Amino acid sequence: MAETSGVGRGYLAVRGWRSWAFTLDHKRIGAMYLWTTIFFFLVGGVFALLLRLELLSPQTRYFSNHAYNVFFTLHGSMMIFLFIIPAIPSGLGNFFIPLHIGARDVAFPRLNLASYWVFAAGFLVIIGSLVAPMDTGWTFYTPYSAKSAAAVTTLSLGLFLIGLSSILTGLNFIVTIHKLRAPGMTWHRMPLFLWSMYATSIIQVIATPVVGVTFLLLAAERLLGVGFYDPAKGGDPVLFQHFFWFYSHPVVYVMILPAMGIISEVIPVFSRKPIFGYKAIAYSSLAIAFLGFLVWGHHMFTSGMSPLANAIFSFLTFFVAVPTAVKVFNWIATLYKGSITFESPMLYALTFIFLFAVGGLTGPFLGALATNVQLHDTYFVVAHFHYTMMGGTVMGFFAGLHYWFPKMTGKMLNEKVARIAWALVFIGFNVTFFTMFIVGTRGMPRRYAEYLPRFHTENVISTIGSAVLAIGILVMCWNFLQGLRKGAPAPADPWRALSLEWRAASPPETENFHEIPVVTEWPYGYGTTKA
Amino acid sequence: MDNVLAFGAASSQAGRVDALFVVIAVVGGFFFFLTQGILIYFAVKYRRRLPDRDNVTPTITGSPLLEFLWILIPSLVVVAIFYYGWRVYTDQRTSVAGATEVHVNARQWMYEIKYPDGRTAINEIRVPAGKPVKFLLSAADVLHGFYLPDFRVKMDMIPGRVTTLWVQPDRPGSYQIFCTVYCGTGHSNMLARLIVMPPAEYAEWVAHGEEEGGEGKEHEPLTVRGERVAKNAGCLNCHAIGGAVKVGPGWKGLFGSNVPLEGGKTVNADEEYLRESIVDPGAKVVKGFPNVMPTYKTTLSKEDIDALVAYLKTLK
Amino acid sequence: MNAPSADHHDPSVAFESAKLGVWTFLATEVLLFGALFTAYTIFRMKYPELFRVEHAKLDRVLGAVNTVVLITSSFTVVLGVDAIKRGKARLLEVCFGATILLAAVFLCVKYVEYAAKFHHGLYPRTNLFFSLYFMMTGLHGIHVLLGMGLLSYVIVLSRRGRLSASYHTPAEMSGLYWHFVDLVWIYLFPLLYLLG
């Protein structure tokens, strides 16, 4: 039974900075994360544009080599640690997990608030480290990072705090999903977004402590002369890589799984059909989480690991493709005989499938040992991860923002402007990044401030694409701001969707539901006839 | 030899990697066009035609057979690709007997080469065509990389360890070497070349014992020799002759100018200053630049240094 | 049907949640220390001689004393949790106070050990064995300190009359954490001090 639509301001009613700074409301905490992560997305994007500007010419022209190197480090680090890891889980996840399970809040609301402030402390420390910015790349490999004159120790502390924040959030979500489901909501009646958030949270909780220790030991090497990574002391620089990737590979699944969860929500709604293969999609999230822990070595095939170790990692790497492919097939099958409309959430969801397929199918080039040796550390890798992380996660994030905008704000977005922005983003994205597959195959290494003239053409094309992409994103942001200011009032359920968040008002009241709903069926009952 | 895309150009091994690449591209492309083609087809065919109505949509929730198939088939495909990639890789890693061993030691930002007979070089490796070469790779300071795009191979260079890479260069030519592990400011300037020579020419070169700048050329003007030294010794990886700033100060107009140093002093860039900068770079560090230049005291002969200084004086 | 389970204020839900939460947190701690134990394993396998020679420089007696101290502190924690389950707040405070005292003894012994090492010129930078020794016992020591804070907080709660036989979740959860801290030491002690 849908509740009254957004006549009042719901959870947004109480004003004043204190009502935000000390809020225990998961929706406000989620909103704070969203504002923060989107801010860092834009800042990280500016650094990307600076990179693309410099790459217009083979020799450095506007910036010194060192400045360029700092820019790609900041671009990568900000995008990964301050945007893509927290945005969907801590932003949209915080907002919608309790609504999806029919609860009033997460299991530990105060811990939730603490998570945000730890995150804030983390990014403030990271910003502080910019007095002596890093140029190591976001991977901070030793010995270079251990010897660097940059503020490595400060940055390590900042990253430690960010990591701690994500552990606490993951822990909160795991307990919430286990213990706070509404009566009647069995595991198999949960929306798939919850399954993906559950798998994501497990990864965060298990993987993040390892990267915490990784950076702790890096800081210790600089401060105390500890020698785990130092060859002069009998340590091993490659040990850093093992520790680092033990976290950083699973973390790409932290990035993609929540986005996949959003796609699983959007596709059925806009095709008016039940999701195809619910259990396969649900369990594939767990399978991806599990397999994701076994493959970190595929980032290190050229680091001198033994051929046997390489073979094992390569073999296991290929298997992560299978549960991923299952999801893609199931989403496409959901469209079969559907009744499809193309509002902006659906446009972004379909775009996700398309672009993520490109990213995913360029994975085998990198998972196969011989071609990996050719393509590792070239622009091919840069293209691959931008197709999966931006073509994938970011498109999924945009889909979620457009889908849930009415619920979070009580206002509708301008569909026409949304579609214009989408078109610019789609075109700009492909022009920017597809050329990188080509130039990487032709041998252009990554993290190069200067490059050989034979790579010039692709780089110019890519930069033009980045300008179009940037405009598209700006139009999208402008659309969001306009929507916030003067969007049409949103009904409780503008998309006629069945998951529980649409039973709450738009925007929801602080306690979400007047009465905790009792769940009697799964949330994908869109079909009108028997098969 | 600059057309990296040339199929299997540099070695037959490169050709095998290219074949694998094409196979993966074809298989991937097939699945891409199949799935995305169906996606687009469904999106168009099943678009809602009557507005504001849901039309009739069947309650299909799954198909055990289909789902089984599309777990099984991708699994088989990926195992096959793994196997193929592994086989080509294993061949690549299995060095052939009788390979010449060339030591390559990377440091910021150059490659120091040492041949079995004791000859050394910087940023240039010369080998005869048709014979296998095994590179013994290491690094002096931080991680570096050794990438031969034409041969489709690379290996990281790790301080405190020796990693290996072997190739069999079939065709004479000059092949690019890139550093592929980020190593600091000069990372993109660490360019080097593998020069594969026809066997006869190679024998000539060995016999005449060519060093850094090379003495072999009679009556060669000092400045020309100096320009050659600048290229071969890796100077141009960090110093630009046209006025731009790379890692180190530019050389244009350097000679005779007044150079501000770290610590406040200023010094005139005369011959003595230039000479000292080459053999003891840390003695006077130019203001605003890091003290990272290595010394060339043992790598360049006195004649080479004289030539270099003469060359620098010509850059106005 | 029963009262909805989706209310995080519901006491039984809150307790179950707290339990799952703490166990999940302890899982993260296992990974945290696990990374260091992994480094230990790797370097031990690589430099067996170094470990054999250097570990003898550790004071086994003090290590054993600390082991007994920590095990006893786990015992006092159990006594305290049992006490509050029977509604005995004062006894809880005494037992947790004893635990904190024992923890302080532990830290003092560690201080003595560290000072002795420094006095003999053995620092974290000296060699890989001592890098591991200081990092692992140091991280553990920080957890002991945090545990002391946690247990103090429970005592404060009890003194304010907030704990009882029907609500003693903070006590029980802190106890769980404390047992974990003890358990880590049970692994550290033989690996660092005893194994030759």
Side-chain angles (χ1 to χ4, degrees):
Chain A
M1 193 86 43
E3 309 203 353
T4 50
S5 73
V7 174
R9 301 267 299 139
Y11 75 101
L12 294 166
V14 180
R15 301 200 174 221
W17 69 271
R18 265 175 285 251
S19 72
W20 285 91
F22 302 115
T23 183
L24 294 181
D25 182 355
H26 65 98
K27 299 182 289 302
R28 289 191 171 213
I29 295 173
M32 291 198 289
Y33 271 110
L34 282 175
W35 280 103
T36 313
T37 53
I38 291 175
F39 170 75
F40 284 115
F41 171 66
L42 295 173
V43 174
V46 167
F47 282 117
L49 293 175
L50 293 176
L51 295 174
R52 289 291 356 145
L53 176 68
E54 184 53 70
L55 289 172
L56 273 175
S57 56
Q59 301 288 299
T60 46
R61 199 148 150 219
Y62 304 102
F63 308 112
S64 65
N65 283 25
H66 179 72
Y68 180 89
N69 298 338
V70 167
F71 291 164
F72 72 66
T73 304
L74 290 179
H75 168 70
S77 306
M78 279 191 167
M79 285 302 200
I80 289 177
F81 294 111
L82 300 180
F83 165 61
I84 208 172
I85 292 175
I88 303 180
S90 303
L92 295 174
N94 251 316
F95 203 107
F96 288 101
I97 289 177
L99 287 166
H100 269 177
I101 60 174
R104 299 201 185 285
D105 210 310
V106 293
F108 308 116
R110 281 172 300 176
L111 188 68
N112 207 8
L113 181 69
S115 294
Y116 181 77
W117 287 114
V118 171
F119 178 77
F123 73 67
L124 288 173
V125 171
I126 290 175
I127 291 175
S129 78
L130 292 178
V131 294
M134 303 283 291
D135 68 325
T136 55
W138 82 278
T139 49
F140 307 111
Y141 277 9
T142 55
Y144 187 72
S145 57
K147 296 184 178 188
S148 167
V152 177
T153 310
T154 313
L155 186 75
S156 299
L157 174 66
L159 290 174
F160 194 89
L161 291 170
I162 301 278
L164 179 63
S165 164
S166 68
I167 290 175
L168 297 177
T169 299
L171 188 156
N172 220 336
F173 289 168
I174 289 174
V175 177
T176 304
I177 292 173
H178 269 276
K179 299 293 179 188
L180 295 190
R181 277 169 286 127
M185 185 176 286
T186 57
W187 282 88
H188 289 155
R189 286 187 188 155
M190 289 200 316
L192 288 166
F193 181 66
L194 287 182
W195 278 98
S196 71
M197 283 309 312
Y198 183 65
T200 301
S201 302
I202 292 178
I203 300 175
Q204 284 196 309
V205 150
I206 296 186
T208 315
V210 176
V211 86
V213 171
T214 308
F215 283 108
L216 188 67
L217 295 180
L218 177 62
E221 185 157 323
R222 290 172 67 90
L223 291 177
L224 303 174
V226 154
F228 297 100
Y229 307 134
D230 187 350
K233 299 203 159 140
D236 184 2
V238 181
L239 180 65
F240 178 91
Q241 295 180 35
H242 280 288
F243 278 159
F244 179 83
W245 288 113
F246 185 83
Y247 162 77
S248 299
H249 187 80
V251 96
V252 312
Y253 300 111
V254 166
M255 299 173 199
I256 199 67
L257 283 172
M260 288 176 159
I262 294 176
I263 306 308
S264 297
E265 295 305 316
V266 171
I267 301 264
V269 172
F270 292 87
S271 14
R272 311 312 298 169
K273 264 199 68 208
I275 188 77
F276 186 97
Y278 171 94
K279 283 196 184 154
I281 297 187
Y283 296 145
S284 66
S285 296
L286 297 176
I288 289 171
F290 172 68
L291 289 169
F293 276 98
L294 305 179
V295 302
W296 75 90
H298 69 228
H299 299 271
M300 301 163 58
F301 283 148
T302 63
S303 69
M305 282 200 300
S306 73
L308 176 64
N310 280 353
I312 295 173
F313 279 120
S314 171
F315 182 74
L316 290 169
T317 296
F318 277 104
F319 276 97
V320 188
V322 178
T324 311
V326 162
K327 286 181 191 278
V328 173
F329 299 146
N330 285 7
W331 290 323
I332 295 176
T334 305
L335 298 172
Y336 174 68
K337 292 201 171 159
S339 173
I340 305 171
T341 51
F342 299 97
E343 289 88 335
S344 45
M346 186 60 157
L347 278 180
Y348 279 110
L350 293 173
T351 304
F352 172 101
I353 300 176
F354 186 85
L355 297 177
F356 183 74
V358 175
L361 288 168
T362 50
F365 291 96
L366 298 168
L369 287 167
T371 39
N372 179 286
V373 171
Q374 174 195 354
L375 299 169
H376 176 59
D377 271 327
T378 67
Y379 263 84
F380 192 97
V381 179
V382 178
H384 165 76
F385 65 67
H386 279 93
Y387 266 89
T388 48
M389 297 210 285
M390 188 170 196
T393 302
V394 177
M395 296 301 146
F397 180 58
F398 291 165
L401 286 177
H402 285 79
Y403 180 55
W404 280 320
F405 189 90
K407 181 56 54 185
M408 291 191 284
T409 63
K411 310 245 171 88
M412 296 299 288
L413 283 170
N414 182 321
E415 256 307 300
K416 218 151 103 185
V417 176
R419 287 177 184 188
I420 294 172
W422 167 82
L424 290 169
V425 165
F426 183 76
I427 294 169
F429 175 85
N430 280 300
V431 174
T432 308
F433 293 107
F434 198 82
T435 50
M436 294 185 186
F437 282 125
I438 299 172
V439 86
T441 307
R442 294 182 58 213
M444 181 175 172
R446 61 185 287 205
R447 298 177 167 162
Y448 263 35
E450 301 188 304
Y451 56 85
L452 296 183
R454 72 178 190 240
F455 302 128
H456 194 195
T457 312
E458 288 93 333
N459 274 287
V460 172
I461 297 174
S462 175
T463 299
I464 295 172
S466 70
V468 175
L469 176 60
I471 294 171
I473 290 173
L474 286 176
V475 172
M476 188 186 72
C477 288
W478 181 82
N479 198 23
F480 285 145
L481 290 173
Q482 288 295 94
L484 279 174
R485 283 181 43 222
K486 37 190 200 169
D493 192 3
W495 313 120
R496 289 177 299 130
L498 297 175
S499 41
L500 290 180
E501 76 270 34
W502 304 104
R503 293 199 202 175
S506 292
E509 296 299 324
T510 303
E511 70 277 359
N512 296 346
F513 307 100
H514 286 156
E515 274 174 34
I516 302 292
V518 176
V519 175
T520 51
E521 53 190 11
W522 76 333
Y524 298 107
Y526 296 105
T528 59
T529 68
K530 282 278 166 222
Chain B
M1 180 86 255
D2 239 5
N3 185 2
V4 171
L5 279 183
F7 197 88
S11 68
S12 56
Q13 238 187 41
R16 283 198 283 280
V17 176
D18 287 343
L20 170 66
F21 186 100
V22 169
V23 166
I24 297 177
V26 167
V27 171
F30 168 74
F31 280 105
F32 178 77
F33 286 110
L34 179 68
T35 54
Q36 305 310 304
I38 293 177
L39 175 103
I40 295 172
Y41 174 67
F42 283 176
V44 170
K45 177 164 181 187
Y46 299 113
R47 68 189 184 282
R48 187 171 312 161
R49 284 159 230 259
L50 296 168
D52 293 335
R53 294 245 239 107
D54 278 349
N55 289 350
V56 173
T57 56
T59 305
I60 302 173
T61 55
S63 156
L65 175 66
L66 261 183
E67 297 188 60
F68 171 74
L69 281 176
W70 67 47
I71 291 176
L72 179 69
I73 295 174
S75 300
L76 295 173
V77 170
V78 297
V79 171
I81 298 179
F82 156 75
Y83 182 73
Y84 185 5
W86 178 56
R87 289 309 310 264
V88 177
Y89 173 76
T90 306
D91 285 339
Q92 224 179 54
R93 298 299 304 161
T94 311
S95 59
V96 171
T100 321
E101 293 188 349
V102 178
H103 289 253
V104 187
N105 186 44
R107 64 168 69 245
Q108 288 166 318
W109 287 283
M110 61 177 69
Y111 295 97
E112 297 168 340
I113 289 93
K114 194 165 178 165
Y115 294 97
D117 59 6
R119 273 173 302 135
T120 59
I122 290 193
N123 293 339
E124 185 186 88
I125 309 177
R126 287 176 184 265
V127 294
K131 273 195 73 183
V133 185
K134 187 166 161 181
F135 298 106
L136 299 170
L137 308 168
S138 188
D141 41 24
V142 296
L143 292 174
H144 291 276
F146 188 81
Y147 176 37
L148 284 160
D150 296 274
F151 292 82
R152 318 287 189 253
V153 289
K154 65 168 63 75
M155 177 54 72
D156 291 357
M157 306 166 87
I158 304 166
R161 268 182 71 176
V162 175
T163 49
T164 62
L165 184 69
W166 88 275
V167 293
Q168 167 123 357
D170 291 330
R171 210 178 295 182
S174 170
Y175 300 100
Q176 189 67 51
I177 298 172
F178 286 124
C179 177
T180 45
V181 183
Y182 182 74
C183 54
T185 315
H187 172 56
S188 51
N189 300 112
M190 255 177 92
L191 303 172
R193 295 206 85 89
L194 174 71
I195 300 179
V196 180
M197 310 172 81
E201 243 183 74
Y202 178 76
E204 249 286 310
W205 174 74
V206 172
H208 283 192
E210 195 170 290
E211 281 179 14
E212 269 329 299
E215 315 156 348
K217 316 210 165 165
E218 308 281 327
H219 309 300
E220 180 186 47
L222 213 52
T223 52
V224 175
R225 176 174 170 160
E227 187 177 4
R228 199 149 38 77
V229 171
K231 284 207 186 91
N232 294 344
C235 314
L236 298 182
N237 282 2
C238 294
H239 296 280
I241 54 179
V245 168
K246 284 189 169 182
V247 182
W251 283 350
K252 187 179 160 84
L254 172 62
F255 176 68
S257 67
N258 287 319
V259 180
L261 300 178
E262 288 288 342
K265 292 209 194 118
T266 308
V267 76
N268 184 270
D270 56 11
E271 281 93 341
E272 230 354 270
Y273 169 77
L274 294 179
R275 202 175 307 276
E276 184 189 49
S277 300
I278 297 171
V279 300
D280 189 8
K284 294 189 177 63
V285 180
V286 179
K287 190 172 162 73
F289 287 92
N291 180 6
V292 293
M293 177 172 160
T295 168
Y296 284 83
K297 198 159 48 182
T298 52
T299 1
L300 292 179
S301 66
K302 187 181 172 309
E303 290 77 24
D304 282 335
I305 296 178
D306 288 339
L308 202 41
V309 173
Y311 171 62
L312 284 166
K313 285 161 76 167
T314 67
L315 298 172
K316 301 222 201 307
Chain C
M1 264 235 69
N2 310 343
S5 63
D7 185 351
H8 62 277
H9 294 307
D10 181 299
S12 64
V13 173
F15 178 70
E16 290 296 310
S17 298
K19 237 178 33 174
L20 180 60
V22 174
W23 278 106
T24 308
F25 177 69
L26 293 182
T28 73
E29 295 277 67
V30 168
L31 265 302
L32 192 75
F33 281 98
L36 286 175
F37 279 104
T38 306
Y40 172 92
T41 310
I42 291 171
F43 288 122
R44 194 198 174 86
M45 281 172 35
K46 208 164 163 198
Y47 304 113
E49 256 314 290
L50 174 76
F51 276 63
R52 204 181 59 76
V53 168
E54 297 300 304
H55 98 279
K57 298 179 185 173
L58 295 181
D59 191 329
R60 238 163 291 186
V61 171
L62 287 183
V65 164
N66 260 353
T67 309
V68 171
V69 165
L70 266 191
I71 294 180
T72 311
S73 75
S74 261
F75 178 58
T76 51
V77 152
V78 169
L79 289 180
V81 174
D82 180 71
I84 193 62
K85 279 186 176 164
R86 291 180 285 130
K88 301 187 178 212
R90 292 291 152 268
L91 186 52
L92 161 72
E93 291 156 29
V94 166
C95 291
F96 271 35
T99 310
I100 294 173
L101 204 62
L102 288 166
V105 168
F106 177 90
L107 289 179
C108 284
V109 171
K110 278 247 77 59
Y111 173 81
V112 166
E113 278 189 88
Y114 278 22
K117 296 288 161 292
F118 297 156
H119 183 68
H120 284 108
L122 297 168
Y123 297 95
R125 61 172 181 271
T126 305
N127 58 44
L128 278 177
F129 176 82
F130 278 99
S131 298
L132 279 165
Y133 169 76
F134 282 110
M135 293 299 305
M136 293 173 88
T137 58
L139 189 64
H140 177 259
I142 292 174
H143 281 80
V144 171
L145 203 59
L146 290 173
M148 289 166 75
L150 208 56
L151 297 168
S152 307
Y153 176 67
V154 173
I155 295 179
V156 166
L157 282 180
S158 177
R159 297 211 48 86
R160 290 186 186 164
R162 303 263 290 275
L163 302 178
S164 64
S166 51
Y167 177 72
H168 46 267
T169 310
E172 209 167 332
M173 297 306 122
S174 312
L176 262 179
Y177 172 79
W178 192 254
H179 293 316
F180 174 78
V181 169
D182 186 15
L183 187 64
V184 171
W185 179 259
I186 302 296
Y187 280 90
L188 280 183
F189 175 60
L191 283 178
L192 289 171
Y193 290 77
L194 299 183
L195 248 48

